[in-house]
Amino acid sequence: MELTGLHHVTAVSADAPYNHRFYTQTLGMRLVKKTVNQDDTSAYHLFYADGEASPGTDLTFFDWPVPRERRGSHAAVRTFLRVRDDAALDYWAGRLADSGVAHSGIETRDGRDMLPFEDREGQRLGLIVDGGRGPGVPWAKSPVPADHQIRGLGPIVLSVPDLAPTAAVLTHVMGMREVRTYASEEGRAIHVFEMGEGGPAAEVHVKVEPGLAPAVQGAGAVHHVAFRVTTFDEYDEWARRLKELRIPNSGKVDRFYFRSLYFREPNGILFELATDGPGFAADEDADHLGERLALPPFLEGRRAAIEAGLKPL
């Protein structure tokens, strides 16, 4: 029973039309599922991924009319997205600048080349070279050349005031390995934990920032981080493990496109364990993902009312 990497990261947007334009046109990702938040059907849930909607490539957004995030600790503070090589990173430095997206330039940190930047709502992102490791299939209709496309999720950076409680959950509960430490641009210690085969698609970076006030979620924030569970049998084992360890959790949740378990690590950051399957082609043809509003069967009977409450993208 082993987590194999990041499954998806879900963030918050207060401007769905802008969000859709930026992630599909500027970043060239594929909208692989246009659906709604199953717990709040007034909000879109938009999934952007690689050309085949591979697990481990999804950056997703809830569309909520909320103010901007108040930044702080006890939060996921940056999401890296993987590109293949330095040539791709050079391409993106130019593309972002040409698109009016400010960035601080290419830098080398933790032995890897990366390009940090933010979207207009303050979502903290970064591109990082993966050397071809991890899932990622080009999308034929992307405005970005295939060799330079975003391949999927890279490391997620968490900010916590105290490493020990979070490290205990990552290692003793979730089976990750602490493999190295490096310094942030501010000189803070960042501890790297890896799962599965390791590499940029299977890492959590934990920045220790004592004394920083807790973040308040809003537009530009990360809502939760999800990790890959390969099979339904392992999913059942994870549900039993959380129960045996007496870790408060959601219990089993069937999201139709995957099955989920939710719990918070000790510093309050929401984690999800999500299965690789059934996948986004469960209710749409793989060649036409994201072209219409998709609703799981338990919401289909409410389609007219749900569609009436959503703004056009």
Side-chain angles (χ1 to χ4, degrees):
M1 188 173 73
E2 182 179 47
L3 301 174
T4 57
L6 293 163
H7 186 281
H8 66 268
V9 170
T10 294
V12 180
S13 170
D15 188 346
Y18 158 75
N19 182 273
H20 178 251
R21 288 193 307 273
F22 183 79
Y23 288 90
T24 59
Q25 296 175 22
T26 303
L27 295 192
M29 301 178 77
R30 184 184 184 189
L31 179 65
V32 297
K33 189 62 60 177
K34 180 169 67 173
T35 186
V36 294
N37 181 322
Q38 294 176 10
D39 303 314
D40 174 12
T41 59
S42 68
Y44 278 116
H45 193 180
L46 304 175
F47 291 76
Y48 307 102
D50 73 346
E52 294 186 355
S54 308
T57 70
D58 302 339
L59 180 57
T60 93
F61 289 87
F62 295 145
D63 165 44
W64 283 328
V66 292
R68 289 281 288 268
E69 173 194 28
R70 189 180 75 193
R71 292 181 175 180
S73 190
H74 302 265
V77 297
R78 190 172 298 274
T79 302
F80 280 98
L81 304 169
R82 293 176 288 106
V83 295
R84 182 173 296 278
D85 51 28
D86 286 323
L89 218 53
D90 289 337
Y91 167 87
W92 278 104
R95 181 177 179 85
L96 292 176
D98 291 345
S99 300
V101 180
H103 61 78
S104 55
I106 297 170
E107 60 186 63
T108 301
R109 196 169 298 279
D110 188 31
R112 294 175 179 150
D113 291 337
M114 58 184 65
L115 179 64
F117 67 99
E118 298 180 12
D119 73 7
R120 191 176 75 189
E121 295 189 285
Q123 187 66 230
R124 286 169 282 183
L125 304 165
L127 299 170
I128 191 167
V129 172
D130 70 359
R133 293 184 69 184
V137 178
W139 177 37
K141 296 180 181 180
S142 174
V144 176
D147 287 346
H148 300 331
Q149 286 181 28
I150 290 169
R151 292 171 31 79
L153 293 173
I156 184 78
V157 183
L158 311 180
S159 171
V160 301
D162 181 9
L163 176 67
T166 299
V169 168
L170 294 176
T171 56
H172 300 312
V173 176
M174 301 174 71
M176 298 186 198
R177 308 171 295 275
E178 184 173 0
V179 291
R180 63 186 182 275
T181 303
Y182 66 99
S184 72
E185 60 274 20
E186 312 92 353
R188 299 286 193 181
I190 299 181
H191 300 256
V192 179
F193 297 81
E194 68 177 15
M195 64 204 105
E197 296 180 357
E203 290 178 355
V204 175
H205 293 200
V206 183
K207 182 190 293 189
V208 182
E209 298 186 289
L212 196 61
V216 177
Q217 286 202 340
V222 169
H223 185 269
H224 65 267
V225 181
F227 303 91
R228 291 179 63 185
V229 176
T230 306
T231 67
F232 293 152
D233 286 343
E234 284 199 353
Y235 171 76
D236 291 338
E237 290 180 28
W238 279 108
R240 285 193 292 270
R241 179 169 178 77
L242 293 181
K243 183 177 180 180
E244 289 169 359
L245 293 174
R246 298 183 180 180
I247 294 174
N249 67 89
S250 64
K252 295 181 181 180
V253 180
D254 188 348
R255 296 299 190 192
F256 186 65
Y257 307 112
F258 44 85
R259 297 176 186 174
S260 300
L261 289 162
Y262 300 89
F263 65 98
R264 292 189 184 273
E265 56 79 48
N267 282 293
I269 301 169
L270 184 60
F271 285 171
E272 176 184 355
L273 307 181
T275 59
D276 281 358
F280 293 122
D283 60 353
E284 293 183 293
D285 181 83
D287 291 333
H288 297 283
L289 296 176
E291 295 179 5
R292 62 185 291 272
L293 182 68
L295 297 175
F298 49 85
L299 292 178
E300 188 59 51
R302 298 165 54 193
R303 174 174 287 275
I306 288 172
E307 288 183 332
L310 297 171
K311 16 179 166 11
L313 291 181

